[in-house]
């Protein structure tokens, strides 16, 4: 390792400072303009929407450096793996992938392999890369995307291995370019990091202190997306409900931000992820106005047992959660609620799990991401005894998924025969003769129609309902916005 290298440290990642980080305005340095001339790049993204959004920035930086997209990993001159650390099995997959890249390096010694995202924020991961994956040229984390061109230049010049992972968040970087994957729907980060420290979760360590973007910067970004013809934005944050609490001066809340954004001429606004403990009455009131605020809320509950919620440090009870859902259903008639649930958290008994199943029934979720608990080194729960046998965890997951699937189907069934506005995204992935898009409640609909509907919001009558999708037919051909 050279003096340039910086490894992550969990104790620094745990620290929270009172000061607000500086905001810097990114400007692309022309020195890096030709690094990628006649070279190609490929980016593989693992994990959540935050990573997808980061990859869109990294792709834009690649193209600013002159790289063009590679047709496949095998043909690329630069391969970037943007990683996720939330669960162990996702990490194993990434290590397998990095191992396989060695064969490409043997064929093309000039190939540059870079690893970014949440995994490099873990000390154990960096140590493993240093020891076992010497063919990786560049490792950087979540706090320094904007330095990517500088790193690449160094790596190409020095030919060695460069590790630069900052354990504590740096600045908020504005004006980073983005090469967005979807032409009609865009991610908009409203904040970075997380201060919740749920005991199972590594994100507060990999993404650092919670820090909100200035409202003016968010509004500026949304306005430019509107000018570019985007139809939908999804506001991103690990806990969007605590947006603004770290901003100086007058307190800005997520409810205020959403109220302001809803005045802009963007047809659809979504947000993710909400923490149930911070879902304020003001926010519910803003959402009840409807309009361009879509009637779908992703509200991770994690468990239905008060004892387990406490051990997870979720800071709400089952009753609080169910009351919140009741309020949401009253304020936003027909709202669709989805969730995240973990099974097999340390000490989870059959009774705790039965509480989760009964909560699922009561909450009438219309979808969920369900997970088996995965101990993450450095988190408080990693020190608890992981005492639920794997076989038991698997049975619980299967049972839970059966309940969740019933919810998916019931959620879809309520649209049978109805006309719903669909934002048409393109040709269906499962049937090339059909188009597909999403409803306000975030249900996918496949239907036959002309290609020029792509990018428009049009009325579709639902003719068939399945667990995972809806089938429909055009209700009429006049584009309609909602
Ligand atoms: N094990 C299993 N699932 C986890 N999640 C976060 N950390 C873990 C973990 N250690 C899940 C939570 C969270 C989602 C993004 O991932 O349900 O809401
Ligand atoms: Fe992880 Fe909890 Fe923060 Fe979500 S709120 S990112 S689960 S610590």
């Amino acid at each position: 390792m050279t003096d340039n290298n910086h490894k992550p440290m969990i104790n620094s990642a745990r620290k929270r400072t009172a000061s607000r980080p500086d905001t810097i305005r990114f400007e692309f340095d022309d020195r890096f303009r030709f690094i990628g001339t006649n070279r190609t790049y490929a980016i593989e993204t693992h994990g959540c929407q935050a990573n997808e959004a980061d990859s869109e920035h990294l792709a834009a930086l690649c193209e600013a450096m002159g790289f063009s997209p590679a047709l496949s990993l095998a043909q690329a001159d630069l391969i970037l793996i943007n990683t996720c650390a939330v669960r162990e099995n996702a990490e194993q997959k990434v290590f397998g992938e990095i191992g396989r890249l060695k064969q490409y390096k043997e064929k093309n010694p000039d190939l540059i392999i870079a690893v970014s995202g949440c995994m490099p924020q873990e000390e154990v991961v960096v140590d493993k890369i240093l020891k076992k994956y010497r063919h990786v040229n560049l490792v950087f984390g979540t706090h320094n995307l904007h330095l990517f061109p500088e790193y690449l230049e160094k790596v190409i010049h020095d030919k060695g291995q460069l590790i630069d992972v900052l354990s504590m968040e740096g600045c908020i970087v504005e004006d980073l370019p983005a090469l967005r994957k979807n032409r009609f729907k865009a991610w908009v980060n409203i904040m970075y990091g997380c201060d919740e420290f749920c005991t199972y979760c590594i994100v507060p360590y990999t993404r650092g202190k919670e820090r909100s973007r200035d409202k003016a910067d968010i509004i500026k970004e949304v306005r430019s997306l509107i000018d570019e013809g985007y139809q939908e934005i999804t506001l991103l944050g690990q806990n969007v409900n605590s947006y603004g609490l770290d901003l100086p001066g007058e307190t800005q809340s997520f409810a205020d931000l959403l109220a302001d954004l809803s005045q802009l001429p963007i047809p659809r606004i979504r947000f993710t992820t909400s923490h149930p403990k911070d879902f304020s009455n003001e926010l519910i009131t803003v959402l009840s106005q409807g309009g361009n605020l879509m009637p779908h809320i992703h509200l991770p509950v994690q468990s239905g047992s008060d004892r387990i919620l406490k051990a997870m440090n979720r800071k709400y009870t089952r009753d609080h959660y169910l009351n919140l859902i009741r309020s949401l259903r009253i304020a936003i008639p027909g709202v669709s609620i989805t969730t995240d649930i973990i099974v097999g958290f340390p000490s989870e008994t059959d009774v705790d799990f039965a509480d989760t199943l009964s909560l699922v029934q009561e909450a009438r979720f219309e979808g969920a991401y369900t997970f088996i608990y995965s101990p993450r080194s450095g988190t408080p729960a990693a020190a608890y005894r992981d005492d639920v046998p794997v076989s038991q965890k698997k049975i619980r997951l299967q049972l839970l998924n059966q309940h969740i699937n019933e919810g998916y189907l019931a959620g879809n069934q309520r649209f049978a025969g109805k006309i719903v506005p669909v934002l048409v995204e393109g040709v269906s992935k499962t049937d090339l003769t059909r188009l597909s898009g999403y409803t306000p409640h975030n249900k996918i609909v496949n239907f036959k129609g002309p290609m020029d509907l792509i990018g428009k919001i049009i009325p579709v009558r639902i003719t068939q309902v399945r667990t995972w999708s809806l089938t429909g037919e055009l209700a009429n051909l006049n584009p309609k916005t909602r």
Side-chain angles (χ1 to χ4, degrees):
M1 204 163 74
T2 70
D3 285 349
N4 278 332
N5 286 349
H6 291 115
K7 281 177 35 174
M9 285 177 302
I10 191 108
N11 282 336
S12 308
R14 202 172 271 139
K15 280 194 192 121
R16 292 297 184 260
T17 52
S19 60
R20 178 169 160 75
D22 293 335
T23 296
I24 57 166
R25 308 266 151 201
F26 178 81
E27 273 181 60
F28 187 79
D29 187 332
D30 275 335
R31 275 189 302 145
F32 306 130
R33 181 87 49 210
F34 301 107
I35 292 181
T37 308
N38 298 326
R39 288 176 166 157
T40 58
Y41 77 98
I43 300 180
E44 208 181 86
T45 309
H46 297 257
C48 68
Q49 292 97 337
N51 258 13
E52 285 179 30
D54 284 352
S55 285
E56 293 183 346
H57 290 304
L58 291 162
L61 291 174
C62 285
E63 302 216 350
M65 287 184 275
F67 285 94
S68 49
L71 294 175
S72 66
L73 279 193
Q75 291 171 23
D77 299 303
L78 163 65
I79 298 176
L80 172 68
I81 314 279
N82 196 10
T83 62
C84 170
V86 166
R87 280 168 297 275
E88 167 88 27
N89 55 2
E91 290 200 355
Q92 293 311 339
K93 238 170 87 183
V94 166
F95 276 122
E97 181 76 41
I98 300 176
R100 278 190 295 279
L101 295 182
K102 199 165 181 185
Q103 49 170 325
Y104 300 143
K105 188 92 173 185
E106 281 156 7
K107 284 190 201 124
N108 172 11
D110 289 334
L111 168 66
I112 294 166
I113 300 174
V115 177
S116 65
C118 285
M119 276 173 65
Q121 298 292 145
E122 297 174 88
E123 210 165 328
V124 280
V125 167
V126 170
D127 287 340
K128 193 161 165 182
I129 291 178
L130 280 168
K131 223 191 264 159
K132 289 203 186 150
Y133 298 87
R134 299 295 308 171
H135 59 289
V136 172
N137 302 90
L138 168 61
V139 180
F140 63 104
T142 54
H143 301 309
N144 39 357
L145 301 187
H146 60 296
L147 300 178
F148 182 43
E150 215 164 289
Y151 295 146
L152 263 189
E153 197 209 27
K154 260 195 201 144
V155 161
I156 291 171
H157 191 260
D158 301 348
K159 297 267 188 281
Q161 197 176 41
L162 174 67
I163 313 264
D164 198 15
V165 183
L166 312 177
S167 295
M168 290 189 53
E169 65 288 337
C171 310
I172 292 183
V173 183
E174 290 295 345
D175 305 330
L176 257 187
L179 189 72
R180 299 186 193 265
K181 262 198 169 157
N182 191 304
R183 281 183 295 153
F184 316 112
K185 304 201 299 194
W187 310 117
V188 176
N189 276 308
I190 60 166
M191 60 201 300
Y192 305 98
C194 180
D195 284 349
E196 292 306 327
F197 291 96
C198 300
T199 53
Y200 51 81
C201 185
I202 195 144
V203 170
Y205 311 91
T206 62
R207 292 215 166 244
K209 184 172 100 150
E210 201 166 274
R211 52 226 190 266
S212 305
R213 289 176 71 193
D214 271 334
K215 188 151 99 178
D217 286 315
I218 297 169
I219 290 180
K220 193 173 105 190
E221 181 174 350
V222 175
R223 282 193 194 282
S224 75
L225 290 167
I226 294 169
D227 291 344
E228 289 169 49
Y230 280 88
Q231 301 289 308
E232 178 175 313
I233 54 165
T234 301
L235 309 175
L236 290 185
Q238 302 299 336
N239 174 12
V240 289
N241 305 59
S242 65
Y243 169 82
L245 300 182
D246 59 313
L247 289 173
E250 226 174 280
T251 323
Q252 287 289 337
S253 68
F254 181 54
D256 297 333
L257 174 71
L258 211 50
D260 286 359
L261 291 174
S262 70
Q263 300 303 310
L264 299 177
I266 182 94
R268 292 182 168 193
I269 301 179
R270 304 183 188 277
F271 54 89
T272 196
T273 295
S274 288
H275 195 302
K277 86 171 174 30
D278 294 321
F279 214 110
S280 67
N281 289 335
E282 293 76 41
L283 180 55
I284 297 176
T285 306
V286 171
L287 289 172
S288 71
Q289 290 157 17
N292 55 3
L293 303 175
M294 293 295 101
H296 166 227
I297 294 169
H298 187 66
L299 196 62
V301 66
Q302 312 298 0
S303 169
S305 149
D306 279 341
R307 200 179 63 79
I308 296 294
L309 286 172
K310 194 150 197 267
M312 288 176 161
N313 192 29
R314 290 291 289 178
K315 305 175 198 122
Y316 55 83
T317 60
R318 168 196 178 95
D319 271 358
H320 171 89
Y321 187 91
L322 287 169
N323 285 335
L324 175 58
I325 285 198
R326 265 176 228 122
S327 309
L328 285 169
R329 290 201 196 284
I330 292 166
I332 315 161
V335 65
S336 163
I337 295 172
T338 56
T339 199
D340 292 348
I341 296 173
I342 297 174
V343 297
F345 188 79
S347 85
E348 185 187 69
T349 61
D350 284 342
V351 174
D352 295 316
F353 178 63
D355 284 346
T356 296
L357 289 186
S358 71
L359 179 132
V360 167
Q361 294 296 90
E362 277 186 59
R364 290 186 283 127
F365 293 123
E366 296 189 19
Y369 296 110
T370 55
F371 310 102
I372 285 180
Y373 167 70
S374 166
R376 307 292 32 228
S377 138
T379 61
Y384 307 166
R385 209 155 62 85
D386 188 12
D387 55 356
V388 181
V390 177
S391 55
Q392 190 59 256
K393 286 178 179 167
K394 286 188 178 161
I395 292 170
R396 286 183 188 164
L397 184 70
Q398 212 182 0
L399 266 170
L400 173 63
N401 284 342
Q402 277 168 15
H403 281 68
I404 293 294
N405 293 350
E406 286 164 18
Y408 266 110
L409 185 61
N412 280 346
Q413 269 162 346
R414 63 198 178 100
F415 295 100
K418 300 253 160 61
I419 295 177
V420 286
V422 173
L423 168 54
V424 188
E425 289 191 20
V427 174
S428 160
K429 285 191 187 119
T430 49
D431 178 352
L432 297 181
T433 67
R434 288 167 197 248
L435 297 174
S436 97
Y438 286 84
T439 70
H441 295 83
N442 218 23
K443 314 277 179 193
I444 190 163
V445 183
N446 297 311
F447 61 99
K448 284 206 157 69
M451 300 290 265
D452 64 358
L453 293 180
I454 293 173
K456 300 194 173 114
I457 296 173
I458 49 130
V460 174
R461 178 179 292 102
I462 302 305
T463 53
Q464 208 187 348
V465 172
R466 296 199 179 86
T467 303
W468 311 113
S469 67
L470 300 167
T471 305
E473 61 189 19
L474 285 176
N476 70 53
L477 281 174
N478 295 328
K480 186 178 155 204
T481 48
R482 193 213 123 113

